[in-house]
Amino acid sequence: MPFDYDLFVIGTGPGGSATAKQAVFYGKRIAIAEQETIGGTCINRGCIPKKFIVYAADFALQNQVASNYGWDNVGGTFDWSRLIKAVQKQVEQRNNSYKQQFQKAGIELLRGRATFIDPHTVVVDERKVTAESIVIAVGGHPNKPNLPGIEYAITSREMFQLQQLPKRLAIVGGGYIGVEFSSMMNAFGVEVTMMDNDELILSGFDDDIRSSVQTGLIERGIKFLAETTAKEIKKTSQGLQLVLSGEVNSAINVDTILFATGRSPNTKDLCLENAGVEISETGAVVVDKYSRTTQANIFAVGDCTSRIPLTPVARSEGKAVANTIFGEAPTKLDYNYVTSAVFSRPEAATVGMSETKAREKFGDAIQIHRTEFEPLFESMTARNDQVMMKIVTDSKSRILGAHMVGENAADIIQSLAVAIKKGITKQDLDATIGIHPTTGEEFLLIED
Ligand SMILES: Cc1cc2nc3c(=O)[nH]c(=O)nc-3n(C[C@H](O)[C@H](O)[C@H](O)COP(=O)(O)OP(=O)(O)OC[C@H]3O[C@@H](n4cnc5c(N)ncnc54)[C@H](O)[C@@H]3O)c2cc1C
């Protein structure tokens, strides 16, 4: 019996949308299912709304130093609920734009939760559909640990729906999401206490990024509790009490508690067992290098595979999978030199190997080129903001990794990444004439 569709995609986030849109080029019959708002985590409760809030927070930080640049009476009051309404409007516009793009491309959108009946059959809101190939792109959700009073805590999801700014905020978890929220909320005047199991925040990043961002956050007034985590939450007449364990063994009183303690794949209710699709112990869909699951006609992309949980990665995996299914040859991604950023203030960005990773692989043959300086903008202020740039090279001077903390780090590293991926050496950077005066030019001027 012929299938209803050539391709059925579950999830309209960056991974699912990219898969469906790429399959359109092959003239296929495509449907995509979505149980929530169109566009997934990124546009609804991740990258996009977050970046708008980062922009809003930057006004507060600029206002603090505007008088050094001759401005008087800047500042005024900030209306959180007005910002959130404006952000929500932007999100809705993007939801609609996604819908229109699907319509225009002839991709059928099915609203509701998809679950598997067998390897070729899925049910969405009581409608049974069959497809030759199926792509799982269901993303993930924030973790909340099982501790007493956890029902009083929120996750990143609810941060975007806060009715008002808290006066005192505790953030459990110093990964990039916790760090970004700590930075934004601090800029808005919220009293922020952040904690991490580790001595340093941003586990997985180069140690110089970890310590420079941590120092920058502390200098801005964020209280950081190292090697500390949450044990219990109690509701009190004044708000919430967070009982701590670890290095700091006491309790703090706050209004809101954000758990930014990682994310897990949305695979629990998919009935994957009906389709013969295996998941790992952590719930991630098991895939090979072509994103093929343990069932030959079913693929999985994006956060639900727990590879690199970032939008551009999900998007690229989606495109590659569509090419694998319908193109001439299977396509796989090169996960080396994936760039990533932390949109805190100070901002951080990275590409390639950290010093620790490079040392593990190449031992003492690697070389470190590092600089730290006060950026031009800050020299007119009383702030002590520093820029940190670091290049890790192998014995032949080929760049293995580049890491930066400071203004425009994400944009600078993004541009540098293309050249680094192409295999440039430190001498190639030295031989490039930069744009003056910029922060980025300093990457070309780091001494050996
Ligand atoms: C606060 C926050 C900030 C972030 N900031 C950044 C950033 O700055 N840069 C960056 O690159 N990444 C960022 N990310 C990560 C980024 O959002 C994800 O990596 C990306 O959205 C993953 O895309 P995806 O397609 O795999 O999944 P998602 O975007 O999560 O989409 C999955 C979709 O599948 C739907 N779905 C799930 N189950 C079913 C089902 N059974 N039936 C139908 N539909 C289903 C979900 O409703 C969802 O819409 C951020 C994430 C968060 C939480």
Side-chain angles (χ1 to χ4, degrees):
M1 208 172 64
F3 297 109
D4 299 332
Y5 300 100
D6 299 310
L7 174 68
F8 191 83
V9 182
I10 309 176
T12 61
S17 297
T19 312
K21 286 182 198 164
Q22 186 70 9
V24 169
F25 293 117
Y26 294 95
K28 300 296 171 184
R29 293 168 302 146
I30 309 154
I32 192 164
E34 178 54 62
Q35 65 181 7
E36 285 196 66
T37 34
I38 314 290
T41 305
C42 181
I43 70 166
N44 292 290
R45 44 193 179 273
C47 338
I48 299 296
K50 173 194 80 185
K51 197 72 191 284
F52 282 124
I53 302 175
V54 169
Y55 291 139
D58 277 348
F59 284 101
L61 298 176
Q62 295 289 73
N63 287 349
Q64 286 168 7
V65 293
S67 65
N68 300 67
Y69 277 87
W71 289 92
D72 281 326
N73 302 323
V74 288
T77 53
F78 168 66
D79 187 339
W80 167 260
S81 63
R82 204 163 91 219
L83 169 68
I84 289 303
K85 271 191 203 123
V87 170
Q88 200 47 43
K89 215 167 147 193
Q90 285 293 326
V91 167
E92 279 159 23
Q93 278 173 13
R94 280 165 178 75
N95 299 147
N96 289 333
S97 153
Y98 264 59
K99 244 185 266 177
Q100 282 161 10
Q101 285 172 33
F102 290 150
Q103 229 168 17
K104 220 166 139 193
I107 300 167
E108 193 179 338
L109 176 62
L110 275 64
R111 302 310 307 264
R113 167 172 297 190
T115 49
F116 280 93
I117 291 184
D118 65 47
H120 289 284
T121 315
V122 168
V123 65
V124 185
D125 200 18
E126 297 182 4
R127 178 176 160 194
K128 240 189 220 179
V129 292
T130 59
E132 185 159 12
S133 302
I134 299 177
V135 174
I136 304 166
V138 292
H141 62 273
N143 295 332
K144 254 185 169 185
N146 192 6
L147 51 87
I150 191 67
E151 65 276 16
Y152 300 121
I154 62 169
T155 67
S156 59
R157 211 184 157 99
E158 293 83 33
M159 281 301 286
F160 297 110
Q161 292 150 11
L162 283 179
Q163 295 300 309
Q164 59 188 50
L165 280 177
K167 279 201 168 58
R168 302 160 301 172
L169 170 69
I171 299 182
V172 184
Y176 83 94
I177 293 176
V179 165
E180 289 175 340
F181 276 115
S182 78
S183 165
M184 296 176 235
M185 292 295 132
N186 166 261
F188 292 133
V190 176
E191 198 183 293
V192 179
T193 306
M194 183 172 58
M195 64 205 68
D196 196 279
N197 279 329
D198 208 343
E199 212 180 319
L200 289 176
I201 56 173
L202 295 174
S203 156
F205 283 82
D206 185 90
D207 281 352
D208 274 296
I209 285 196
R210 300 177 72 189
S211 54
S212 300
V213 174
Q214 190 161 306
T215 304
L217 294 177
I218 292 169
E219 274 174 4
R220 282 168 167 77
I222 291 164
K223 195 166 172 201
F224 176 65
L225 309 178
E227 296 177 43
T228 300
T229 192
K231 195 160 91 181
E232 186 179 353
I233 301 168
K234 293 178 187 163
K235 201 163 174 51
T236 67
S237 55
Q238 266 110 52
L240 298 171
Q241 187 179 60
L242 181 62
V243 184
L244 304 170
S245 73
E247 199 54 32
V248 178
N249 222 334
S250 55
I252 53 171
N253 295 308
V254 292
D255 308 301
T256 303
I257 301 170
L258 164 65
F259 271 80
T261 43
R263 293 173 61 80
S264 296
N266 287 332
T267 48
K268 216 166 127 219
D269 303 319
L270 271 174
C271 304
L272 289 170
E273 61 287 358
N274 294 344
V277 172
E278 273 176 31
I279 55 171
S280 71
E281 267 176 27
T282 55
V285 183
V286 176
V287 286
D288 67 10
K289 59 190 175 199
Y290 299 108
S291 297
R292 194 186 294 272
T293 69
T294 45
Q295 182 63 251
N297 70 307
I298 303 178
F299 295 76
V301 298
D303 284 12
C304 68
T305 62
S306 293
R307 284 175 285 187
I308 301 181
L310 291 171
T311 286
V313 176
R315 231 190 263 142
S316 300
E317 287 171 352
K319 271 187 174 177
V321 151
N323 292 336
T324 295
I325 300 173
F326 301 115
E328 310 236 301
T331 315
K332 61 179 185 206
L333 285 197
D334 174 6
Y335 291 94
N336 291 313
Y337 300 106
V338 171
T339 44
S340 73
V342 185
F343 294 105
S344 51
R345 301 295 178 248
E347 185 166 285
T350 189
V351 60
M353 282 187 211
S354 65
E355 179 178 344
T356 308
K357 276 263 151 62
R359 247 183 234 295
E360 272 166 28
K361 188 153 184 210
F362 298 103
D364 288 337
I366 63 161
Q367 284 196 339
I368 305 300
H369 310 269
R370 189 182 182 285
T371 182
E372 203 167 328
F373 58 93
E374 183 181 56
L376 191 62
F377 178 80
E378 296 298 342
S379 58
M380 290 258 281
T381 77
R383 284 196 300 222
N384 182 32
D385 268 17
Q386 296 286 303
V387 170
M388 188 286 296
M389 287 173 171
K390 177 172 175 179
I391 295 171
V392 182
T393 61
D394 68 11
S395 58
K396 294 200 171 88
S397 195
R398 189 192 150 156
I399 300 178
L400 301 169
H403 313 281
M404 175 176 171
V405 174
E407 59 179 20
N408 305 321
D411 286 302
I412 292 168
I413 288 288
Q414 177 158 288
S415 305
L416 209 51
V418 182
I420 292 176
K421 194 165 167 28
K422 283 283 175 198
I424 61 161
T425 62
K426 166 80 169 59
Q427 284 76 40
D428 291 321
L429 283 186
D430 299 343
T432 305
I433 296 173
I435 301 172
H436 183 74
T438 60
T439 304
E441 70 173 327
E442 299 295 334
F443 259 119
L444 314 177
L445 302 171
I446 301 179
E447 283 172 14
D448 286 336

